[in-house]
Structures are given as C-alpha cells and as structure tokens.
Amino acid sequence: MNTYKPEKNNSLAIALCIACMACAFSLFILGGLGIGWRLGQHLAALILLVISIEITTGFILTNYVYEISTEYGSADLIVTKIGGSRSMAVCNIGADSVVTVERAGKLREFEQRYGKMDTRYNYISNLRPQTVIWIHFIHNEKKVLVAIEGNEQFLAQLLHYFPHAQ
C-alpha cells in the first residue's frame, strides 16, 4: 500500500475566513445603526458568512488521504476524507476503469482530447495546492474526472499502478 497525505497549508483559507467574517460583522453593525441600505447590507453579510463557513468546512477542517491499494490483485485508488476524528472513504477507483492520469492543466483542452466530462469531483485539501492530479475514469458508462493533490513521486506511483492510463 502506498499512501499520500498532502501537507496542510491553511494560511490563505484562514485569512479569507477572517476577512469574510470581519466584513460581515461590519455590515451587520452598519445595518443595525441604520447607515446605508439595511436589507442589502444584511444580505451581503449573510452571503459572506456562508462563504466563510464553506471555506472552513471544505479546506480548514477537512483533510484527504490518497491510498493505492493492491490488496485484491489489481490496483485501486482509495480517497479517504478526514474531518476531525471521523474518516470516510469517498472514492474508490479501480485500475481497469482508468482512462488517464495526468497533471492538471486547462479543463477546456482536456475535454477537447477526451470529450466532455459527465461528472467532476474535487478531493483537494488545500485552497491553493502546489500540484493537482487529474484522474479520468469510466463509471457506469459515464466519464468522471477526479482532482486530487499529489507530488511528483505520487504521480509516478499512480502512473506505475495504473498502466492503462495514457
């Protein structure tokens, strides 16, 4: 089994959350004082709070672990989501269904080569990851694109264990 857990870098996500919360708090205060258009300020503040909650739950409190398992003969990529003390497998990709594994680039160029993707999943731990890997596979006759984080060594391992990938 080969396991890769991306190094967590929360500084940008934390800064964005603090900025969104500070702006939302300011808008609530201004609306409460009757300065400006109260309804618009409260709606903007609510939107900023929702954005900060999404960033917090999606990037600050969530980690992903990527594991290449060869337990049952062929290789499988298992993506596990870790949130606090809970962990749950969110994706299991078999080697026989993989079409390609490559470093992420322009989505439009990728879809010109392989056709439009039916479904896309993002299993990335950091807001601004250093390296993103795309795994294109077929599931129930649908084209699926999964984005994960990984370094060059993990990309080389994926290419080794998924020989059908171009």
Side-chain angles (χ1 to χ4, degrees), residues 75-133:
D76 291 332
L77 175 68
I78 302 166
V79 179
T80 305
K81 179 180 180 178
I82 300 171
S85 61
R86 301 178 72 202
S87 64
M88 175 177 65
V90 292
C91 185
N92 189 343
I93 303 170
D96 55 343
S97 65
V98 174
V99 175
T100 185
V101 175
E102 63 184 58
R103 194 174 294 106
K106 301 275 184 197
L107 183 61
R108 179 170 288 162
E109 293 172 5
F110 183 84
E111 287 186 337
Q112 284 176 351
R113 282 182 297 193
Y114 298 105
K116 183 157 175 45
M117 296 293 116
D118 297 313
T119 308
R120 292 184 300 200
Y121 295 103
N122 183 1
Y123 300 123
I124 295 177
S125 297
N126 293 307
L127 195 56
R128 300 273 269 170
Q130 291 183 355
T131 305
V132 176
I133 299 170

Side-chain angles (χ1 to χ4, degrees), residues 1-4 65-71 76-80 91-93 154 158 162:
M1 267 192 258
N2 297 310
T3 304
Y4 179 74
V65 175
Y66 317 111
E67 178 182 332
I68 301 172
S69 173
T70 56
E71 189 173 332
D76 291 332
L77 175 68
I78 302 166
V79 179
T80 305
C91 185
N92 189 343
I93 303 170
F154 189 65
L158 284 171
F162 297 128

Side-chain angles (χ1 to χ4, degrees), residues 26-40:
S26 300
L27 288 171
F28 274 129
I29 295 295
L30 288 174
L33 294 174
I35 301 171
W37 184 44
R38 179 180 287 176
L39 179 63

Side-chain angles (χ1 to χ4, degrees), residues 8-15 59-63 125-127:
K8 201 71 167 151
N9 184 5
N10 286 333
S11 58
L12 178 62
I14 291 171
F59 296 103
I60 296 173
L61 300 177
T62 303
N63 289 319
S125 297
N126 293 307
L127 195 56

Side-chain angles (χ1 to χ4, degrees), residues 9 24-25 31-32 46 55 62 65 68 80 105 134 143-145 160:
N9 184 5
F25 181 72
L46 189 61
I55 291 172
T62 303
V65 175
I68 301 172
T80 305
W134 282 344
K143 297 177 182 179
V144 181
L145 183 64
H160 172 74

